[in-house]
Amino acid sequence: MVQDKALLARISREAKVHMLRTSPAGLVSHHFQELLSDPNFDIFYAAPVLVVISAAAESPWAVEDCALAAENLMLAARALGLGTCWIGFAQAWLGTPEGKAALKMPAGYRPVAPTIVGH
């Protein structure tokens, strides 16, 4: 769980740069290129909390398990009057060595479902 505003801002900046740098030409739409190039665009929409649902890297069902956990988080948050969103823009960078280090993620784990929670 990330609540530190400076870390959220860093992840947003790094994720945008990473996505622009690593996405094959033509795969990222013109609209997304504009968003990701905008230094004022926050991929987390100023949400106060990022929950990075993760799994053991070698787990054959990691994506499915994390997707189900994300769905349960989203339903529980909704019941409490909160909004959520799975932030795909963050996913690739969070899986890099730099992203994992920023999260202090244990070795052998990978981030699957970065989900913001807020109003």
Side-chain angles (χ1 to χ4, degrees):
M1 182 179 309
V2 179
Q3 294 177 294
D4 180 274
K5 290 180 190 281
L7 181 53
L8 289 167
R10 175 183 171 210
I11 294 169
S12 179
R13 280 191 314 274
E14 298 285 347
K16 291 187 299 183
V17 169
H18 181 79
M19 192 160 186
L20 286 171
R21 187 179 62 237
T22 61
S23 295
L27 186 62
V28 177
S29 72
H30 178 71
H31 172 70
F32 284 152
Q33 285 179 343
E34 284 183 0
L35 280 176
L36 295 170
S37 298
D38 181 353
N40 296 314
F41 174 64
D42 174 12
I43 65 171
F44 302 125
Y45 303 98
V49 177
L50 170 65
V51 178
V52 183
I53 301 170
S54 306
E58 71 278 351
S59 172
W61 303 107
V63 172
E64 293 83 354
D65 289 342
C66 289
L68 290 168
E71 178 185 37
N72 286 333
L73 169 71
M74 292 172 168
L75 290 169
R78 176 69 179 134
L80 296 171
L82 298 169
T84 59
C85 185
W86 183 322
I87 304 295
F89 282 154
Q91 204 161 344
W93 185 78
L94 289 173
T96 66
E98 297 83 11
K100 289 179 180 182
L103 295 173
K104 297 181 174 93
M105 184 168 290
Y109 278 79
R110 66 176 171 144
V112 177
T115 305
I116 55 173
V117 180
H119 291 278

